[in-house]
Amino acid sequence: MVRSGEEPRPTGRATDGTGPASLRELFLQGEPVETGVRPSILDSWQRCRSLGLSPDTLDLPYQEDFDPGGRIVRAAVPVLDRLQATFAGSKVNISVADANGTVLLRRFGDPSMARSLPDIQVVPGFVFAEQVAGTNGIGLALAERQLIRVYGAEHFAERSQQNACVALPVRDPLSGRIEGVLCLGYPRGFERPALGVAIRRAAEGIERRLLGQSSARERALLRTYLAAGAGTAGLHGGVALGAVADEFHPRDQAILREKAAELISGAQRGAAEVTLPDGRRVTLVSRPVTSGSGVQGIAIEAVLPGSPGESLVIPHQTDELSALPAAPLSAARPAITLPSGHLAAPSGPLVATDGDGATAAPGGTAGPVTPAEAPTAATPDSARTPAGPAPTDSDRSPSVPAAADGDGPGPAGKHSEAAFPARGLVMLGEPQVGAYALAARRRLELLSEASTRIGTTLDVRRTAEELAETAAPGLADFVTIDLPDAVLRGEESADPIADLRRTVVHGIREGLPFTPPGKRVDFGPTTPQLRCLSSGEAVLEPDLKAAAGWLAQDPEHTARLLAHVHSLIAVPLLARGVVLGVASFYRAGSSFGDDDRSLAQELASRAALSIDNARRYTHERTMVLALQRRLLPHGLPDQDAVEVAHRYLPAESDVGGDWYDVIPLSGARVGLLVGDVVGHGMLSAATMGRLRTAARSFAELDFPPDEVLTHLDNLVGRLDREDPEGKGAGVIGATCLYAVYDPTAQRCLMARAGHPPPALVHPDGTVTYPDLPAGPPLGLGGLPFDAVEVGLPEGSQLVLYTDGLIEDRNRDVDAVLEQLREALAHPERAPEETCQAVLDTVAPAHPHDDIALLVARVHAMDPGRIATWELSADPARVGEVRASATRWLSDRGLDETGFAAELILSELITNAIRHGAAPIRVRLLYGRTLICEVSDASNTAPHLRRAASTDEGGRGLFLVAQLSQSWGTRYLPEGKVIWAECDLDAAA
């Protein structure tokens, strides 16, 4: 360990420059400084504190065994020389460090700076990693893996308070791995906007030179392969695959290239058989190749099927590269013609390709080289001659292994080359580069898979599970996803950091000590999860054993996890500016890299959009469902005619416009109503509320079922015509079924408008579907509705439902109706039990439409509670009927109600005699209330009015209205009924 040699300065004494000096002092004193400090700097300070670093006693380790001639140094030297010339005469110092933070190169704008600065700022070999040097440009650039600026008091070490720096990671263009860090240091007052531009261009220059190193290695391998004669090493018929393109469809070529990339990345010698879609089988042979400079690679050749009896002539290949090694090219071997008649010689410039078959010129992105793009020259057609003997060992290049491995067909010279199937070079490259190409292909495949697997439903929790299932094991070994409770409910979280709950835990195996789903999770300020939520960017921790912030969260818990996981990527789930949660990707073996972080960020971004869509849908569905339930009946009215049970089951995907209602009517009757508005969403729910309100109003006017449907039909048509945008609101298609049951006659009058027929359960268990005219859906207009009357004996059950119960894309309607018949064939069940049995056995497991179900067991009114009198239009009969009614009421203990009933009957009978027509009928119904009815054959309707002091009439109906709790008129096919209902409790 080497000390800096500087005297420690007082904490926080940063003046005359930029940097949050006072905030840093507050932080070091333990005060909260959440605002006023950049998130990356605050995160770094917190990590430094968790590591136990002291700002005035920081010692930097020195690495004596650093490599002064490595790849990053060779690539950086010319670039740093240009930078030094650019900043000549300034106080800028330029450094390059490796991926561990060890400085490898130093340059100074003013060379005299080297004499005045301490060793740690001059001598290469000192380590500036954050865990040992605190917050600084090099260490923070490695930790954040992006461009970083650090000003004055933002440095953790006291000795750096007067300095500023800008640092940028340098990556290998092939692997995406960080090879080092380029850093520009300068006095705090020297800040220039051009520094950021200069360091980016310099980093790009270093990366281009790194790529050039790889490209040169690939070109050397290809030169060696071509210098071997493309056939002298036992490669009989060494024809490039591109020269026989007529033999292979581009789709087949892509398949062969993909398999070749896998073989190169495996770095093993062998053969693999590939079956093409048309049934042909092609053998790929893997052969090691070593260039003259010692670069080791793999050549993948395809054994091309030859046609019996036709000779394949080997093309004479020459190399156009000036630096071609001197090796025999078998110049005497003539060019020949393939069976197709085309010259079998590849042509075109040297091009490097990646594992996906994309090409780039030398100096661009390098990768496995495809032979069809190798530098060759075709021999003219005039040079075609029969094939010569196979090459001897003296023709072979020493850089390519001889074919003494049994791959040849026999001893040289016994057969012509045409007797063997041709072999074509498919791809050539270094195993490491091939592995990068293969990894890139797999990343693309994973993204393609994610586009189809993530977001298949509009369920927040399921979408999070789809993200985890896609990422493990494709990207990570284990995935955890934490979402706020508010997001799971479909809302935006006011404080997502404090509201996180473990939602998903998924991995290649179970039993790891992760926080289980359903538990709340609290992340500390230094954890990668909280840092990614604060910055909005993915945070990579290549080695969790060295991640101080992660370790400090819960030492005991993290210690248990470290036995199973090694590396972590924490990614925020952000969509449309809304924080939806955080996804954590863990690997058990190898470390994540920057490409993995980019892939995780892309997966999380796609999943976040799907989660946000699901959240918005959940929010809207919750609102629509709340509106739907608010518009449905909250309770059932008191009545004696039927015993009712009901169910409403919303669709899984969306909420529709199904509704039901139970409406008490005059004469102890009850109306049963079920309807369905076609469509889903807020509009359907709102339309349902309007239709239900209108249907109830029409029913309470005592219209018969067919007239109620007619009025609803007119209403729906008017709603469509009143659409302000003229586009139609989709109301047309609403259906309805309305039934009115009379317990005094045990009869039910029903009509339907495009709705499924009801089910009738008889007391003996027989289930029938009444033959009820379907009628058109509401809104078509101009078509009549027919009502049918059926008898319902005591104990029968009438079952009304919407089409969501019986209609399903995967089931036959007739079969479902038979299931419904079997479920209802239990008359002993109570309506509540019947409802549940129907939903359990008949309803689809995942309903695509709403289900409304109404089960009504009918009761007959006791004949002893019904009294009836018929009389002629003679005023003398009024007193007689009044006296009989009084006695009937007295016999039943209704003496208190008798006075009001006597006056009501007197007025109603008198009006019927005066203004109506015979026959006149009087009926008393004794149930929950006392109902007085007077009917006659006239259609004249009475009207309530307030009589003047000089009027002789007009007070009768006013008196009836005062004595009864309600009264009204019900029209019959011939005549009308005037009724009044008295409250027995009020009378008592």
Side-chain angles (χ1 to χ4, degrees), residues 2-47:
V2 179
R3 296 294 299 269
S4 67
E6 289 188 344
E7 292 296 328
R9 295 185 177 92
T11 302
R13 307 285 284 277
T15 58
D16 301 330
T18 59
S22 59
L23 292 175
R24 175 178 174 275
E25 183 176 2
L26 290 175
F27 174 82
L28 293 175
Q29 293 173 356
E31 299 294 332
V33 289
E34 283 74 13
T35 59
V37 182
R38 291 184 290 146
S40 60
I41 300 297
L42 182 58
D43 291 341
S44 180
W45 288 355
Q46 291 171 336
R47 291 194 295 270

Short mmCIF file of all heavy atoms in Angstrom, two decimals, residues 2-47:
data_model
loop_
_atom_site.label_atom_id
_atom_site.label_comp_id
_atom_site.label_asym_id
_atom_site.label_seq_id
_atom_site.Cartn_x
_atom_site.Cartn_y
_atom_site.Cartn_z
N VAL A 2 0.49 2.21 -0.83
CA VAL A 2 1.28 3.43 -0.93
C VAL A 2 0.40 4.60 -0.55
O VAL A 2 -0.70 4.77 -1.06
CB VAL A 2 1.82 3.63 -2.37
CG1 VAL A 2 2.61 4.91 -2.47
CG2 VAL A 2 2.68 2.45 -2.78
N ARG A 3 0.91 5.43 0.37
CA ARG A 3 0.16 6.61 0.79
C ARG A 3 0.31 7.71 -0.24
O ARG A 3 1.28 7.80 -0.97
CB ARG A 3 0.68 7.10 2.13
CG ARG A 3 0.48 6.11 3.26
CD ARG A 3 -0.99 5.91 3.57
NE ARG A 3 -1.63 7.15 3.97
CZ ARG A 3 -1.71 7.54 5.25
NH1 ARG A 3 -1.21 6.81 6.20
NH2 ARG A 3 -2.31 8.68 5.55
N SER A 4 -0.68 8.61 -0.30
CA SER A 4 -0.63 9.70 -1.26
C SER A 4 0.43 10.72 -0.93
O SER A 4 0.91 11.44 -1.78
CB SER A 4 -2.00 10.39 -1.31
OG SER A 4 -2.26 11.06 -0.07
N GLY A 5 0.81 10.86 0.31
CA GLY A 5 1.82 11.81 0.70
C GLY A 5 1.29 13.20 0.96
O GLY A 5 2.06 14.10 1.28
N GLU A 6 -0.04 13.39 0.81
CA GLU A 6 -0.62 14.71 1.03
C GLU A 6 -1.18 14.81 2.44
O GLU A 6 -1.63 13.82 3.02
CB GLU A 6 -1.75 14.99 0.03
CG GLU A 6 -1.26 15.21 -1.38
CD GLU A 6 -2.38 15.67 -2.29
OE1 GLU A 6 -3.55 15.52 -1.91
OE2 GLU A 6 -2.08 16.19 -3.37
N GLU A 7 -1.15 16.02 2.97
CA GLU A 7 -1.75 16.25 4.28
C GLU A 7 -3.27 16.25 4.13
O GLU A 7 -3.81 16.81 3.18
CB GLU A 7 -1.29 17.60 4.84
CG GLU A 7 0.18 17.64 5.20
CD GLU A 7 0.50 16.69 6.33
OE1 GLU A 7 -0.37 16.46 7.19
OE2 GLU A 7 1.62 16.13 6.34
N PRO A 8 -3.98 15.60 5.07
CA PRO A 8 -5.45 15.61 4.98
C PRO A 8 -6.01 16.99 5.20
O PRO A 8 -5.52 17.76 6.02
CB PRO A 8 -5.87 14.65 6.10
CG PRO A 8 -4.70 14.63 7.03
CD PRO A 8 -3.47 14.83 6.21
N ARG A 9 -7.05 17.31 4.41
CA ARG A 9 -7.70 18.59 4.54
C ARG A 9 -8.95 18.45 5.42
O ARG A 9 -9.52 17.37 5.52
CB ARG A 9 -8.13 19.13 3.17
CG ARG A 9 -6.95 19.44 2.25
CD ARG A 9 -7.46 20.09 0.95
NE ARG A 9 -6.36 20.46 0.09
CZ ARG A 9 -5.87 19.67 -0.85
NH1 ARG A 9 -6.37 18.48 -1.03
NH2 ARG A 9 -4.86 20.08 -1.61
N PRO A 10 -9.39 19.54 6.06
CA PRO A 10 -10.61 19.46 6.87
C PRO A 10 -11.80 19.02 6.04
O PRO A 10 -11.90 19.37 4.86
CB PRO A 10 -10.79 20.90 7.38
CG PRO A 10 -9.42 21.51 7.29
CD PRO A 10 -8.75 20.87 6.13
N THR A 11 -12.69 18.28 6.67
CA THR A 11 -13.85 17.74 5.97
C THR A 11 -14.72 18.85 5.40
O THR A 11 -15.09 19.78 6.10
CB THR A 11 -14.68 16.87 6.93
OG1 THR A 11 -13.85 15.84 7.43
CG2 THR A 11 -15.88 16.29 6.23
N GLY A 12 -15.04 18.72 4.10
CA GLY A 12 -15.99 19.61 3.47
C GLY A 12 -15.44 20.97 3.13
O GLY A 12 -16.19 21.84 2.71
N ARG A 13 -14.14 21.23 3.24
CA ARG A 13 -13.60 22.57 2.97
C ARG A 13 -13.32 22.70 1.48
O ARG A 13 -12.17 22.76 1.04
CB ARG A 13 -12.32 22.78 3.77
CG ARG A 13 -12.48 22.50 5.26
CD ARG A 13 -13.24 23.59 5.95
NE ARG A 13 -12.40 24.76 6.16
CZ ARG A 13 -11.56 24.90 7.17
NH1 ARG A 13 -11.41 23.92 8.05
NH2 ARG A 13 -10.86 26.00 7.31
N ALA A 14 -14.34 22.72 0.67
CA ALA A 14 -14.18 22.89 -0.78
C ALA A 14 -14.66 24.27 -1.14
O ALA A 14 -15.82 24.61 -0.94
CB ALA A 14 -14.97 21.84 -1.54
N THR A 15 -13.79 25.12 -1.66
CA THR A 15 -14.15 26.50 -1.99
C THR A 15 -13.64 26.84 -3.37
O THR A 15 -12.83 26.13 -3.96
CB THR A 15 -13.53 27.47 -0.97
OG1 THR A 15 -12.11 27.30 -0.98
CG2 THR A 15 -14.06 27.21 0.42
N ASP A 16 -14.12 27.98 -3.88
CA ASP A 16 -13.67 28.51 -5.16
C ASP A 16 -13.85 27.50 -6.29
O ASP A 16 -12.96 27.29 -7.11
CB ASP A 16 -12.20 28.94 -5.09
CG ASP A 16 -12.00 30.00 -4.03
OD1 ASP A 16 -12.94 30.78 -3.79
OD2 ASP A 16 -10.89 30.04 -3.45
N GLY A 17 -14.97 26.87 -6.39
CA GLY A 17 -15.21 25.93 -7.48
C GLY A 17 -16.54 25.26 -7.34
O GLY A 17 -17.34 25.58 -6.47
N THR A 18 -16.79 24.34 -8.25
CA THR A 18 -18.04 23.61 -8.21
C THR A 18 -17.97 22.48 -7.23
O THR A 18 -16.91 22.08 -6.77
CB THR A 18 -18.37 23.06 -9.61
OG1 THR A 18 -17.29 22.21 -9.99
CG2 THR A 18 -18.51 24.18 -10.61
N GLY A 19 -19.15 21.89 -6.95
CA GLY A 19 -19.18 20.76 -6.04
C GLY A 19 -19.95 21.06 -4.79
O GLY A 19 -19.82 22.13 -4.22
N PRO A 20 -20.76 20.14 -4.32
CA PRO A 20 -21.61 20.36 -3.14
C PRO A 20 -20.84 20.20 -1.84
O PRO A 20 -20.98 19.22 -1.12
CB PRO A 20 -22.67 19.28 -3.29
CG PRO A 20 -21.97 18.17 -4.01
CD PRO A 20 -20.97 18.81 -4.93
N ALA A 21 -19.97 21.17 -1.54
CA ALA A 21 -19.11 21.03 -0.36
C ALA A 21 -19.91 20.90 0.91
O ALA A 21 -19.69 20.00 1.73
CB ALA A 21 -18.16 22.22 -0.28
N SER A 22 -20.87 21.79 1.13
CA SER A 22 -21.63 21.74 2.37
C SER A 22 -22.47 20.48 2.46
O SER A 22 -22.62 19.90 3.54
CB SER A 22 -22.51 22.98 2.48
OG SER A 22 -23.41 23.04 1.36
N LEU A 23 -23.01 20.03 1.33
CA LEU A 23 -23.81 18.80 1.35
C LEU A 23 -22.93 17.60 1.66
O LEU A 23 -23.36 16.69 2.37
CB LEU A 23 -24.51 18.62 -0.01
CG LEU A 23 -25.60 19.65 -0.33
CD1 LEU A 23 -26.14 19.45 -1.73
CD2 LEU A 23 -26.74 19.56 0.68
N ARG A 24 -21.72 17.58 1.12
CA ARG A 24 -20.82 16.47 1.42
C ARG A 24 -20.49 16.45 2.91
O ARG A 24 -20.43 15.40 3.54
CB ARG A 24 -19.55 16.61 0.59
CG ARG A 24 -18.48 15.56 0.91
CD ARG A 24 -17.29 15.77 -0.02
NE ARG A 24 -16.20 14.89 0.36
CZ ARG A 24 -15.30 15.16 1.31
NH1 ARG A 24 -15.40 16.30 1.98
NH2 ARG A 24 -14.34 14.31 1.58
N GLU A 25 -20.28 17.63 3.48
CA GLU A 25 -19.99 17.70 4.91
C GLU A 25 -21.18 17.19 5.72
O GLU A 25 -21.00 16.44 6.70
CB GLU A 25 -19.66 19.14 5.29
CG GLU A 25 -19.26 19.30 6.75
CD GLU A 25 -18.85 20.72 7.08
OE1 GLU A 25 -18.91 21.57 6.18
OE2 GLU A 25 -18.47 20.95 8.24
N LEU A 26 -22.40 17.57 5.30
CA LEU A 26 -23.58 17.07 6.00
C LEU A 26 -23.67 15.55 5.89
O LEU A 26 -24.01 14.86 6.87
CB LEU A 26 -24.84 17.71 5.42
CG LEU A 26 -25.05 19.20 5.71
CD1 LEU A 26 -26.27 19.72 4.95
CD2 LEU A 26 -25.21 19.44 7.19
N PHE A 27 -23.37 15.02 4.71
CA PHE A 27 -23.43 13.57 4.53
C PHE A 27 -22.42 12.88 5.45
O PHE A 27 -22.74 11.87 6.09
CB PHE A 27 -23.15 13.22 3.07
CG PHE A 27 -23.04 11.74 2.81
CD1 PHE A 27 -24.17 10.97 2.65
CD2 PHE A 27 -21.80 11.12 2.77
CE1 PHE A 27 -24.07 9.61 2.44
CE2 PHE A 27 -21.69 9.77 2.55
CZ PHE A 27 -22.84 9.00 2.38
N LEU A 28 -21.20 13.40 5.49
CA LEU A 28 -20.18 12.77 6.33
C LEU A 28 -20.52 12.86 7.81
O LEU A 28 -20.06 12.04 8.61
CB LEU A 28 -18.82 13.42 6.06
CG LEU A 28 -18.24 13.19 4.66
CD1 LEU A 28 -16.96 13.98 4.47
CD2 LEU A 28 -18.00 11.71 4.42
N GLN A 29 -21.35 13.84 8.16
CA GLN A 29 -21.79 13.97 9.55
C GLN A 29 -23.04 13.15 9.85
O GLN A 29 -23.56 13.18 10.95
CB GLN A 29 -22.05 15.44 9.87
CG GLN A 29 -20.79 16.30 9.87
CD GLN A 29 -21.08 17.77 10.01
OE1 GLN A 29 -22.25 18.17 10.05
NE2 GLN A 29 -20.03 18.58 10.09
N GLY A 30 -23.53 12.43 8.83
CA GLY A 30 -24.69 11.57 9.03
C GLY A 30 -26.03 12.24 8.80
O GLY A 30 -27.06 11.64 9.10
N GLU A 31 -26.03 13.47 8.27
CA GLU A 31 -27.29 14.17 8.02
C GLU A 31 -27.87 13.72 6.68
O GLU A 31 -27.14 13.36 5.75
CB GLU A 31 -27.05 15.69 8.00
CG GLU A 31 -26.52 16.25 9.30
CD GLU A 31 -27.54 16.13 10.42
OE1 GLU A 31 -28.75 16.12 10.12
OE2 GLU A 31 -27.13 16.03 11.59
N PRO A 32 -29.20 13.74 6.51
CA PRO A 32 -29.80 13.36 5.23
C PRO A 32 -29.56 14.43 4.17
O PRO A 32 -29.69 15.62 4.42
CB PRO A 32 -31.30 13.23 5.56
CG PRO A 32 -31.49 14.10 6.77
CD PRO A 32 -30.21 14.05 7.55
N VAL A 33 -29.19 13.99 2.95
CA VAL A 33 -28.93 14.92 1.83
C VAL A 33 -29.56 14.35 0.55
O VAL A 33 -28.93 14.25 -0.49
CB VAL A 33 -27.42 15.15 1.63
CG1 VAL A 33 -26.83 15.96 2.75
CG2 VAL A 33 -26.69 13.81 1.52
N GLU A 34 -30.85 13.99 0.64
CA GLU A 34 -31.50 13.36 -0.51
C GLU A 34 -31.63 14.31 -1.69
O GLU A 34 -31.70 13.89 -2.84
CB GLU A 34 -32.89 12.84 -0.11
CG GLU A 34 -32.88 11.54 0.68
CD GLU A 34 -32.43 11.76 2.11
OE1 GLU A 34 -32.39 12.93 2.53
OE2 GLU A 34 -32.13 10.77 2.80
N THR A 35 -31.69 15.61 -1.45
CA THR A 35 -31.84 16.58 -2.54
C THR A 35 -30.57 17.42 -2.63
O THR A 35 -29.88 17.65 -1.63
CB THR A 35 -33.04 17.50 -2.29
OG1 THR A 35 -32.86 18.19 -1.05
CG2 THR A 35 -34.33 16.70 -2.24
N GLY A 36 -30.26 17.89 -3.85
CA GLY A 36 -29.10 18.74 -4.06
C GLY A 36 -27.86 18.00 -4.47
O GLY A 36 -26.86 18.61 -4.82
N VAL A 37 -27.89 16.66 -4.45
CA VAL A 37 -26.75 15.85 -4.86
C VAL A 37 -27.21 14.92 -5.98
O VAL A 37 -28.28 14.31 -5.88
CB VAL A 37 -26.18 15.02 -3.69
CG1 VAL A 37 -24.96 14.22 -4.15
CG2 VAL A 37 -25.81 15.93 -2.54
N ARG A 38 -26.40 14.83 -7.01
CA ARG A 38 -26.77 13.95 -8.11
C ARG A 38 -26.90 12.51 -7.62
O ARG A 38 -26.10 12.07 -6.79
CB ARG A 38 -25.75 14.05 -9.23
CG ARG A 38 -25.78 15.39 -9.95
CD ARG A 38 -24.81 15.41 -11.10
NE ARG A 38 -23.42 15.41 -10.66
CZ ARG A 38 -22.42 14.81 -11.31
NH1 ARG A 38 -22.68 14.13 -12.40
NH2 ARG A 38 -21.19 14.86 -10.85
N PRO A 39 -27.89 11.77 -8.13
CA PRO A 39 -28.12 10.40 -7.62
C PRO A 39 -26.89 9.51 -7.72
O PRO A 39 -26.60 8.74 -6.79
CB PRO A 39 -29.26 9.88 -8.50
CG PRO A 39 -29.97 11.12 -8.97
CD PRO A 39 -28.92 12.17 -9.11
N SER A 40 -26.12 9.59 -8.83
CA SER A 40 -24.95 8.72 -8.96
C SER A 40 -23.91 9.04 -7.90
O SER A 40 -23.26 8.14 -7.36
CB SER A 40 -24.36 8.87 -10.36
OG SER A 40 -23.96 10.22 -10.59
N ILE A 41 -23.73 10.33 -7.58
CA ILE A 41 -22.75 10.71 -6.56
C ILE A 41 -23.22 10.27 -5.18
O ILE A 41 -22.44 9.71 -4.38
CB ILE A 41 -22.51 12.24 -6.59
CG1 ILE A 41 -21.98 12.66 -7.96
CG2 ILE A 41 -21.58 12.66 -5.48
CD1 ILE A 41 -20.63 12.06 -8.31
N LEU A 42 -24.49 10.50 -4.88
CA LEU A 42 -25.02 10.10 -3.57
C LEU A 42 -24.93 8.59 -3.39
O LEU A 42 -24.56 8.11 -2.32
CB LEU A 42 -26.45 10.59 -3.41
CG LEU A 42 -27.12 10.28 -2.07
CD1 LEU A 42 -26.33 10.87 -0.91
CD2 LEU A 42 -28.56 10.80 -2.05
N ASP A 43 -25.26 7.84 -4.45
CA ASP A 43 -25.14 6.38 -4.37
C ASP A 43 -23.71 5.98 -4.09
O ASP A 43 -23.45 5.08 -3.28
CB ASP A 43 -25.63 5.75 -5.68
CG ASP A 43 -27.12 5.89 -5.89
OD1 ASP A 43 -27.82 6.13 -4.89
OD2 ASP A 43 -27.58 5.75 -7.03
N SER A 44 -22.77 6.63 -4.76
CA SER A 44 -21.36 6.29 -4.55
C SER A 44 -20.93 6.63 -3.12
O SER A 44 -20.22 5.86 -2.47
CB SER A 44 -20.49 7.04 -5.56
OG SER A 44 -19.13 6.74 -5.37
N TRP A 45 -21.33 7.80 -2.62
CA TRP A 45 -21.01 8.14 -1.22
C TRP A 45 -21.54 7.08 -0.27
O TRP A 45 -20.85 6.67 0.67
CB TRP A 45 -21.63 9.49 -0.87
CG TRP A 45 -20.94 10.67 -1.51
CD1 TRP A 45 -19.81 10.66 -2.27
CD2 TRP A 45 -21.36 12.03 -1.42
NE1 TRP A 45 -19.50 11.93 -2.68
CE2 TRP A 45 -20.43 12.79 -2.16
CE3 TRP A 45 -22.42 12.68 -0.80
CZ2 TRP A 45 -20.54 14.17 -2.29
CZ3 TRP A 45 -22.53 14.05 -0.93
CH2 TRP A 45 -21.60 14.80 -1.66
N GLN A 46 -22.76 6.66 -0.48
CA GLN A 46 -23.37 5.67 0.41
C GLN A 46 -22.62 4.35 0.35
O GLN A 46 -22.41 3.68 1.37
CB GLN A 46 -24.84 5.50 0.07
CG GLN A 46 -25.69 6.71 0.39
CD GLN A 46 -27.09 6.61 -0.16
OE1 GLN A 46 -27.34 5.90 -1.12
NE2 GLN A 46 -28.02 7.36 0.44
N ARG A 47 -22.19 3.96 -0.87
CA ARG A 47 -21.41 2.72 -0.98
C ARG A 47 -20.07 2.87 -0.26
O ARG A 47 -19.60 1.94 0.41
CB ARG A 47 -21.21 2.37 -2.44
CG ARG A 47 -22.47 1.94 -3.16
CD ARG A 47 -22.14 1.27 -4.49
NE ARG A 47 -21.51 2.18 -5.45
CZ ARG A 47 -22.15 2.92 -6.33
NH1 ARG A 47 -23.48 2.89 -6.37
NH2 ARG A 47 -21.50 3.70 -7.17
#
